Amino acid sequence: MNFRNILYALACLSFSVILGAAIYEHTALWPAAFSEPPKSLSVFQGPYRLNAGLFWMFIHPVTILLLVMTLIVSWKTNRRKPVLFTMTGYIIILLATFSFFVPELLELTGTPYSNTVDPSLQVRGSRWITLSLVRAGVLIVLAINLLLGLTERE
């Protein structure tokens, strides 16, 4: 085991953490949150609200740093291509995340609580989930690509 392998493994782990969190949110959180908005959005309001942003603001920079470091130390190896492909895809995903997904999510979850259901919010929530599942699918492909890079000879 050398430094390059350890760094690559840490990049894979960090990327897999992102994927795991995305899958968790899509199975445990978003279906319930967007089922009957604004009534169902109460988990995002009040003093004990869910603040997943703290996790995401930590894990993304760590993952980018690990991928960049891995790319640098792997530049003259066969692992360069899977790392570069994954990193490029991840940057595109992050651009979409910060230009559409985060602003739309903040707007939806910031809707004031009401004991009613707003069909227009349901449609927007459903669209957000669908597009985010596409994003998660791309993350799965990128994660598999990155993990398969571990099988490449140095």
Side-chain angles (χ1 to χ4, degrees):
M1 203 40 99
N2 61 33
F3 176 71
R4 193 174 9 221
N5 287 338
I6 292 170
L7 193 57
Y8 197 111
L10 288 172
C12 288
L13 177 62
S14 189
F15 200 83
S16 297
V17 167
I18 288 171
L19 183 57
I23 291 170
Y24 168 79
E25 285 187 345
H26 279 297
T27 56
L29 180 61
W30 302 125
F34 291 130
S35 63
E36 295 183 329
K39 181 169 62 171
S40 57
L41 296 172
S42 62
V43 69
F44 299 104
Q45 299 170 353
Y48 304 106
R49 70 183 170 273
L50 174 67
N51 186 2
L54 296 174
F55 167 77
W56 294 112
M57 287 187 294
F58 169 77
I59 196 66
H60 287 305
V62 168
T63 303
I64 291 170
L65 179 63
L66 287 168
L67 286 171
V68 168
M69 291 172 58
T70 301
L71 182 63
I72 290 168
V73 301
S74 301
W75 191 254
K76 294 182 181 180
T77 73
N78 292 333
R79 292 178 174 178
R80 176 183 68 212
K81 287 181 183 177
V83 174
L84 189 57
F85 178 79
T86 298
M87 199 167 82
T88 302
Y90 182 47
I91 289 169
I92 292 168
I93 290 286
L94 287 177
L95 290 172
T97 297
F98 294 120
S99 64
F100 169 73
F101 289 100
V102 170
E104 179 70 357
L105 184 63
L106 290 175
E107 190 172 320
L108 287 167
T109 59
T111 303
Y113 178 81
S114 174
N115 200 22
T116 61
V117 177
D118 182 338
S120 68
L121 288 177
Q122 281 181 309
V123 168
R124 285 176 60 196
S126 178
R127 180 179 53 238
W128 188 94
I129 288 173
T130 300
L131 293 173
S132 189
L133 284 170
V134 170
R135 178 179 57 164
V138 172
L139 285 173
I140 290 169
V141 170
L142 294 174
I144 290 169
N145 174 72
L146 186 63
L147 289 165
L148 286 174
L150 285 170
T151 65
E152 295 286 337
R153 289 190 177 266
E154 291 193 65

